[in-house]
Amino acid sequence: VAADRRNLIVVSNRGPVTYSRENGERVARRGGGGLVTALRGLVAHHDVTWIASAMSDEDRAVAAEGAIDESLGDGSTVRLRLVKHDEKAYDWFYNVVSNPMLWFLQHYLWELAYTPTIDIALKHAWTEGYVRVNEGFASAVVEELEAAPDTPVFFHDYHLYVAPRVVRERAPDALLAHFVHIPWPQPDYWHVLPKAMRTAVHDGLLANDVIGFHADRWRINFLRSSRDLLGAESNFVDYYAEHAGRRALVSVHPISVDPNEFEELARSEEVLAAERGLVERRTEQLILRVDRTDPSKNIVRGFRAFELYLDANADAHGRVRMLALLDPSRQDIPEYSEYLAAIQREARRVNDRFQRDGWIPVEVSVEDNFPAAVAAYKQFDVLFVNAIFDGMNLVSKEAPLVNERDGVVVLSENTGAYEELRDWVVRVNPFDVAGQAEALSRALSMPRAERHERLEAIRAHVRDHDVAGWIDGQLADLDRCVASASSR
Amino acid sequence: VAADRRNLIVVSNRGPVTYSRENGERVARRGGGGLVTALRGLVAHHDVTWIASAMSDEDRAVAAEGAIDESLGDGSTVRLRLVKHDEKAYDWFYNVVSNPMLWFLQHYLWELAYTPTIDIALKHAWTEGYVRVNEGFASAVVEELEAAPDTPVFFHDYHLYVAPRVVRERAPDALLAHFVHIPWPQPDYWHVLPKAMRTAVHDGLLANDVIGFHADRWRINFLRSSRDLLGAESNFVDYYAEHAGRRALVSVHPISVDPNEFEELARSEEVLAAERGLVERRTEQLILRVDRTDPSKNIVRGFRAFELYLDANADAHGRVRMLALLDPSRQDIPEYSEYLAAIQREARRVNDRFQRDGWIPVEVSVEDNFPAAVAAYKQFDVLFVNAIFDGMNLVSKEAPLVNERDGVVVLSENTGAYEELRDWVVRVNPFDVAGQAEALSRALSMPRAERHERLEAIRAHVRDHDVAGWIDGQLADLDRCVASASSR
């Protein structure tokens, strides 16, 4: 699919590179974000202009200079256009509306009896922050389209829901696609937002020609909420929604990883060094979780589940350990720092109950250390993913690729990945800690032949459905839109 | 409709009468529950056997004696059959599973990052409490059906979801109907329960021939969750779901009140006395809320909204008061006592900020005092109903019937009543306290002619759609089922 080189515009809040100034020199640092990694193939094979927020002072200096070409280090070059936002507007956009408001809403995390409270401050953050920053992005897109009108535009994620409508008004014939990387909640839960805001979110997205999700479950939810909240004509057979005289295709393309990259990483010196440290300290069996410290990841209940497992399995004491590699996340937001505190309290509580003779049942590491994660991917006996809700969960695809112990994946039914991997994982309900304890027990005692078969099946699936396929699917959607437009 | 006298079985957790023993004598006390009031018309015009839980020691003595005839005080008689449950089983059934688990789930009230935790205790409460008590009810129903096989059975509410399946297995041809009085949440939120439990809830309900809800919104949600979670064939045009070889009709009958009863009550000595006290203390304008102290009622945000209104309207200080008449609810359950504490704290906070010269902006009364509520119904200028989610909300129907000041109803978009009254109320989003403050301002300053017109429209609607109509609609559903069964 799509062998030709194309002109494409990618729009995301976080760009592939940020700049700083060191000793009077401009220094570019590549970001390690999942989206950047996933889109590397797109940049390598096509002519991509990437529009992103200027984050640092030096980013803002770059923004003032217009678009610049930047190498992404693997021989590919991206044309980078940074957008400078008012700093207060950006804070409201990012730290008030995008996180926690939309993130919490889309993961069903609010405690509705008490939170959120939509007050004047939140409304102000919406109009003067979220909408303003989206308009900044839209203006940059429109300028690019004026120079090259037929270039397709790919918006990414929950930061940019209202930008497509602004672009559509100024460039009615533009080819616009949007990919939503997080769960789409069901219509009732969108009522957390006042009518004007929830309408703007749906109306903005429906200004696109294509809207992509990682799982069929989120697609169905989007079609339902577009119908219930906006009166769109949603078609659940051919998967489109009609609204304001336009038809938007709603597609499913599960994001994935580059298997070769992980196999290379697994052999890298950094990972091997981390692995040696891990092997020295390992007990007989290792349960691993790798997450951001995000309330959606369900880390607290995970420790409680392990406690129940230890209660029921005295023979596991001293033999089984849980390792939680946690990347600190969004610590500017109170809900996130509170959750990190709860994680630490719960781990300590379990350790205080059970530790003996140098065996510490739960080890928590809070740092951003990717080589350590890949080393642990190689060494786990059970990978534990019990997310409350998760758009995809890439850990459940990455870790099996490099695992060397026929490890078992225990996976939450509320992840996008569950739709793909369900036949080969041990399913858990994220709220059911008793069920999670049983799942850990089952996974830890599974016969080697069965573990091997399940792991190989996951590996084969991820290799057959890699990140290149994710990109090809989205490009094919664009071709369908162009074909159907020209056939009219 | 349905002029003939019928034999009917009503099944609900709480019955119309409870018994105590005073001075060696058995004393019957009629309950004031909304369901009992609503079903009074059914009992008056038909031969009803009512099956309910034995609550008191004397109830259990009555249960041991079998069914007894009991007068409901208005000349009608019910045949009452009380079911004795194991006391621990009943506690698990009522205080663990029904409240808070199902109630919180069906009103979207859990804080999913932290609550609920489905552990062994909850699973035990499910199997040894909820299921056990439902089986007790089912056995009583089956015994009644053995004596009179063609008698239709009406189950009520979220306490009895699994009983219909048990009855269906033992009496395959029984005519079973179930009315759900609370919101039905969307399929994702049912994932709060492990698969076995959420399946049992849906499978139990779908053993009925008819399932009734107060609003189309809850019906759609039920049809969707039956499809998504159980694989039922849901029909969104003719409103039925097919599962396990049977078709269940899913109908909407909004519960209502008896307008004559409220007009009589309004003239009663008790209400007039309460009203005199209220008039003596009233300020120029009165905002009224009448609720149970339930987290779903959104009382804390209501006070915050009033605070925002007072912030924006200095001229209202000393002139406008908010009166909250709160019926204490489920204080055995920690979430409920915590919520009552939060209510009291928030009222005090607002009062501490604004009170002066004898004017106290917020008056909170926590007691079960129906005459005081009806007196306040007559006297409000604005009735404030901002519920987070509410199956119906009868206050918004009762209060306008007797109001004497052309009062305005401010109503949450997430109540069942909103579907019926939307054209005549001021709509609010329950999370949007800024919007609620604006709605209060708009309602308090609305011209008298407009207020009068809106109030009269609500009254006319409630008179045309009274509780007798609610019952007739359900009986007509039964006739449809019988007709369609005999035409097969």
Side-chain angles (χ1 to χ4, degrees):
Chain A
V1 191
D4 297 337
R5 219 171 160 83
R6 306 173 182 224
N7 285 321
L8 299 167
I9 298 170
V10 168
V11 194
S12 68
N13 178 45
R14 195 177 295 270
V17 172
T18 59
Y19 297 92
S20 59
R21 186 158 281 273
E22 291 169 20
N23 306 320
E25 298 278 308
R26 174 173 295 169
V27 178
R29 210 178 51 242
R30 272 171 280 139
L35 181 62
V36 174
T37 309
L39 292 178
R40 208 183 292 152
L42 197 74
V43 173
H45 298 111
H46 302 281
D47 294 321
V48 172
T49 294
W50 196 316
I51 302 176
S53 289
M55 306 273 189
S56 65
D57 286 343
E58 193 62 20
D59 282 358
R60 284 182 278 274
V62 170
E65 293 164 22
I68 61 169
D69 287 336
E70 183 61 64
S71 158
L72 292 192
D74 48 0
S76 64
T77 298
V78 68
R79 183 168 164 274
L80 183 63
R81 178 174 178 152
L82 295 180
V83 181
K84 186 182 163 186
H85 310 292
D86 174 82
E87 282 188 56
K88 274 202 187 112
Y90 187 82
D91 180 51
W92 290 323
F93 155 82
Y94 192 77
N95 289 317
V96 180
V97 176
S98 300
N99 305 299
M101 175 50 77
L102 290 173
W103 181 272
F104 267 46
L105 191 164
Q106 294 197 237
H107 291 82
Y108 295 97
L109 291 172
W110 290 113
E111 184 184 21
L112 294 189
Y114 300 99
T115 61
T117 292
I118 314 282
D119 55 13
I120 293 157
L122 191 280
K123 290 185 178 187
H124 187 264
W126 173 264
T127 54
E128 301 304 316
Y130 192 81
V131 172
R132 193 64 62 89
V133 167
N134 269 258
E135 285 168 348
F137 273 108
S139 294
V141 170
V142 169
E143 279 180 33
E144 293 294 330
L145 288 175
E146 280 164 1
D150 294 335
T151 316
V153 182
F154 281 102
F155 293 99
H156 281 277
D157 230 357
Y158 59 102
H159 311 88
L160 300 176
Y161 288 148
V162 301
R165 173 62 61 200
V166 183
V167 173
R168 176 65 66 208
E169 279 165 7
R170 299 196 218 157
D173 299 323
L175 187 55
L176 307 180
H178 204 124
F179 206 96
V180 178
H181 293 263
I182 65 177
W184 198 264
Q186 298 186 318
D188 274 347
Y189 212 78
W190 278 106
H191 279 257
V192 167
L193 291 182
K195 190 171 186 178
M197 290 185 201
R198 65 186 187 241
T199 301
V201 165
H202 286 79
D203 178 69
L205 268 176
L206 286 169
N208 291 288
D209 298 287
V210 186
I211 303 146
F213 294 94
H214 289 317
D216 196 50
R217 188 168 172 189
W218 318 138
R219 164 163 73 180
I220 298 287
N221 289 355
F222 178 74
L223 288 168
R224 285 173 174 168
S225 67
S226 295
R227 181 166 70 182
D228 289 9
L229 303 181
L230 217 61
E233 288 285 327
S234 291
N235 184 306
F236 295 84
V237 177
D238 295 322
Y239 300 115
Y240 60 79
E242 289 181 342
H243 167 67
R246 292 190 62 86
R247 175 179 295 191
L249 179 69
V250 186
S251 63
V252 172
H253 300 294
I255 199 168
S256 191
V257 297
D258 176 354
N260 295 330
E261 181 198 336
F262 276 87
E263 281 154 26
E264 275 173 39
L265 263 170
R267 292 188 297 266
S268 72
E269 214 20 78
E270 268 179 305
V271 168
L272 291 172
E275 194 181 0
R276 280 189 293 272
L278 197 60
V279 169
E280 270 169 29
R281 291 175 299 128
R282 70 166 296 142
T283 53
E284 198 177 318
Q285 290 186 298
L286 180 67
I287 302 167
L288 172 69
R289 68 178 309 145
V290 178
D291 284 303
R292 287 186 304 101
T293 57
D294 190 296
S296 70
K297 300 298 185 182
N298 212 18
I299 300 158
V300 173
R301 279 199 195 82
F303 294 156
R304 170 90 177 112
F306 186 47
E307 178 188 27
L308 292 183
Y309 167 79
L310 292 175
D311 269 330
N313 295 275
D315 60 322
H317 298 196
R319 291 201 312 106
V320 181
R321 210 160 55 97
M322 178 174 275
L323 174 62
L325 300 182
L326 306 178
D327 190 357
S329 178
R330 299 174 191 162
Q331 293 296 303
D332 290 349
I333 298 171
E335 285 84 351
Y336 282 79
S337 38
E338 281 160 15
Y339 193 69
L340 179 53
I343 290 167
Q344 289 162 329
R345 261 198 304 272
E346 190 73 352
R348 176 170 292 270
R349 196 182 61 74
V350 175
N351 284 336
D352 285 350
R353 265 199 70 193
F354 290 101
Q355 66 179 300
R356 62 154 206 236
D357 307 334
W359 170 67
I360 296 176
V362 177
E363 181 178 336
V364 177
S365 162
V366 180
E367 61 170 341
D368 175 6
N369 187 340
F370 193 54
V374 177
Y377 285 173
K378 295 169 76 177
Q379 286 291 327
F380 73 81
D381 298 286
V382 174
L383 181 74
F384 189 35
V385 178
N386 67 335
I388 290 173
F389 281 92
D390 204 334
M392 168 51 73
N393 194 279
L394 277 180
V395 169
S396 63
K397 293 186 171 182
E398 293 169 355
L401 282 174
V402 297
N403 183 260
E404 296 181 350
R405 295 177 62 88
D406 290 330
V408 180
V409 178
V410 173
L411 186 59
S412 164
E413 64 185 15
N414 287 345
T415 60
Y418 179 73
E419 269 186 18
E420 289 177 83
L421 307 181
R422 57 191 305 159
D423 290 342
W424 314 301
V425 300
V426 176
R427 176 176 64 90
V428 286
N429 174 289
F431 311 104
D432 181 3
V433 292
Q436 287 163 44
E438 282 164 28
L440 291 177
S441 174
R442 190 179 153 214
L444 287 166
S445 59
M446 196 178 275
R448 181 120 203 179
E450 183 181 350
R451 283 153 45 200
H452 183 74
E453 198 176 320
R454 287 168 178 255
L455 186 68
E456 287 303 326
I458 294 174
R459 280 207 254 254
H461 176 89
V462 177
R463 288 198 193 107
D464 287 352
H465 301 82
D466 64 1
V467 69
W470 178 67
I471 288 172
D472 289 346
Q474 293 174 74
L475 295 174
D477 283 347
L478 288 185
D479 293 337
R480 275 177 68 188
C481 287
V482 171
S484 94
S486 62
S487 72
R488 268 185 225 129
Chain B
V1 191
D4 297 338
R5 217 167 163 86
R6 304 171 183 227
N7 285 321
L8 299 166
I9 297 170
V10 167
V11 193
S12 67
N13 178 46
R14 194 177 294 273
V17 172
T18 59
Y19 297 92
S20 58
R21 187 159 281 274
E22 292 171 19
N23 305 322
E25 299 277 307
R26 174 173 294 169
V27 180
R29 209 175 55 240
R30 273 171 278 138
L35 181 62
V36 174
T37 310
L39 292 179
R40 209 183 290 152
L42 197 74
V43 173
H45 298 110
H46 303 280
D47 294 322
V48 173
T49 294
W50 196 316
I51 302 175
S53 288
M55 307 274 190
S56 64
D57 286 343
E58 192 62 22
D59 282 359
R60 284 182 278 274
V62 169
E65 294 165 22
I68 61 170
D69 288 337
E70 183 60 64
S71 158
L72 292 191
D74 48 0
S76 63
T77 299
V78 68
R79 184 167 163 272
L80 183 64
R81 177 173 178 151
L82 296 180
V83 181
K84 186 181 162 186
H85 310 291
D86 175 79
E87 282 188 56
K88 275 203 187 111
Y90 187 83
D91 180 51
W92 290 323
F93 155 83
Y94 192 78
N95 288 318
V96 180
V97 177
S98 300
N99 306 299
M101 175 50 76
L102 290 173
W103 181 272
F104 266 45
L105 191 164
Q106 294 198 237
H107 291 81
Y108 294 98
L109 292 172
W110 290 114
E111 184 183 21
L112 294 188
Y114 300 99
T115 61
T117 292
I118 314 282
D119 55 13
I120 293 158
L122 191 279
K123 290 185 179 187
H124 187 264
W126 173 265
T127 52
E128 301 303 316
Y130 192 81
V131 172
R132 192 66 61 91
V133 167
N134 269 257
E135 286 168 348
F137 273 109
S139 294
V141 170
V142 169
E143 279 182 30
E144 293 294 329
L145 288 175
E146 280 165 359
D150 294 335
T151 317
V153 181
F154 281 101
F155 292 99
H156 280 276
D157 230 359
Y158 59 103
H159 310 88
L160 300 176
Y161 288 148
V162 301
R165 174 60 62 199
V166 183
V167 174
R168 176 66 66 208
E169 279 165 7
R170 300 196 218 158
D173 298 324
L175 187 55
L176 306 180
H178 204 125
F179 207 97
V180 179
H181 292 264
I182 65 177
W184 198 264
Q186 297 184 320
D188 274 348
Y189 211 77
W190 278 106
H191 280 257
V192 167
L193 291 182
K195 191 170 185 180
M197 290 186 202
R198 64 187 188 242
T199 301
V201 165
H202 286 79
D203 177 68
L205 268 176
L206 286 168
N208 292 288
D209 297 287
V210 187
I211 303 146
F213 293 95
H214 289 316
D216 196 49
R217 190 168 171 189
W218 317 139
R219 165 162 74 180
I220 297 287
N221 289 354
F222 178 73
L223 288 168
R224 285 173 174 168
S225 66
S226 295
R227 181 165 71 180
D228 289 10
L229 303 182
L230 217 59
E233 288 285 324
S234 291
N235 184 305
F236 294 85
V237 176
D238 295 322
Y239 301 116
Y240 60 81
E242 288 180 343
H243 167 68
R246 294 189 62 87
R247 175 178 294 191
L249 178 70
V250 186
S251 64
V252 172
H253 300 293
I255 199 168
S256 192
V257 296
D258 176 355
N260 296 329
E261 180 198 337
F262 276 88
E263 281 153 25
E264 274 172 39
L265 262 171
R267 292 188 299 266
S268 72
E269 210 25 74
E270 268 179 306
V271 168
L272 291 171
E275 194 181 1
R276 280 188 294 273
L278 195 62
V279 169
E280 271 169 27
R281 291 175 300 128
R282 71 167 293 143
T283 53
E284 198 176 316
Q285 289 186 300
L286 180 67
I287 302 167
L288 172 68
R289 71 177 307 143
V290 178
D291 284 305
R292 286 183 306 103
T293 57
D294 190 294
S296 70
K297 300 299 185 181
N298 211 17
I299 299 159
V300 173
R301 279 199 195 82
F303 295 157
R304 170 88 178 114
F306 187 49
E307 178 188 27
L308 292 182
Y309 167 79
L310 292 175
D311 269 330
N313 295 275
D315 60 322
H317 298 194
R319 292 200 310 105
V320 181
R321 208 160 57 97
M322 177 174 276
L323 174 63
L325 300 182
L326 306 178
D327 190 357
S329 179
R330 301 174 191 164
Q331 293 295 303
D332 290 348
I333 299 170
E335 286 84 351
Y336 282 79
S337 38
E338 281 161 16
Y339 194 68
L340 179 53
I343 289 168
Q344 288 162 330
R345 263 198 303 273
E346 191 73 353
R348 176 170 292 268
R349 197 181 61 74
V350 176
N351 284 336
D352 284 350
R353 265 199 71 194
F354 290 102
Q355 67 178 302
R356 63 158 207 235
D357 307 334
W359 170 68
I360 296 176
V362 177
E363 181 179 337
V364 177
S365 163
V366 181
E367 60 169 342
D368 175 7
N369 186 340
F370 193 54
V374 176
Y377 285 174
K378 295 169 76 177
Q379 287 291 327
F380 73 80
D381 297 286
V382 173
L383 181 75
F384 188 35
V385 179
N386 68 334
I388 289 173
F389 281 93
D390 204 335
M392 169 50 75
N393 194 279
L394 277 180
V395 169
S396 64
K397 293 187 172 182
E398 292 169 355
L401 282 174
V402 297
N403 182 260
E404 295 181 351
R405 294 177 61 88
D406 290 330
V408 180
V409 177
V410 173
L411 185 59
S412 164
E413 64 186 16
N414 287 345
T415 60
Y418 180 74
E419 269 187 17
E420 291 177 82
L421 307 182
R422 58 191 304 157
D423 291 342
W424 313 301
V425 300
V426 176
R427 177 176 63 90
V428 286
N429 175 288
F431 311 104
D432 181 1
V433 292
Q436 287 164 44
E438 282 164 28
L440 291 177
S441 174
R442 190 178 153 214
L444 287 165
S445 60
M446 195 178 275
R448 181 121 204 178
E450 184 181 349
R451 283 154 44 199
H452 183 75
E453 200 176 319
R454 287 168 178 255
L455 186 68
E456 287 303 327
I458 294 174
R459 280 207 253 254
H461 176 88
V462 177
R463 287 197 194 109
D464 286 352
H465 301 81
D466 64 3
V467 69
W470 178 68
I471 289 172
D472 288 346
Q474 293 174 76
L475 294 174
D477 283 347
L478 289 186
D479 293 338
R480 276 176 68 189
C481 288
V482 172
S484 93
S486 61
S487 73
R488 270 188 223 129

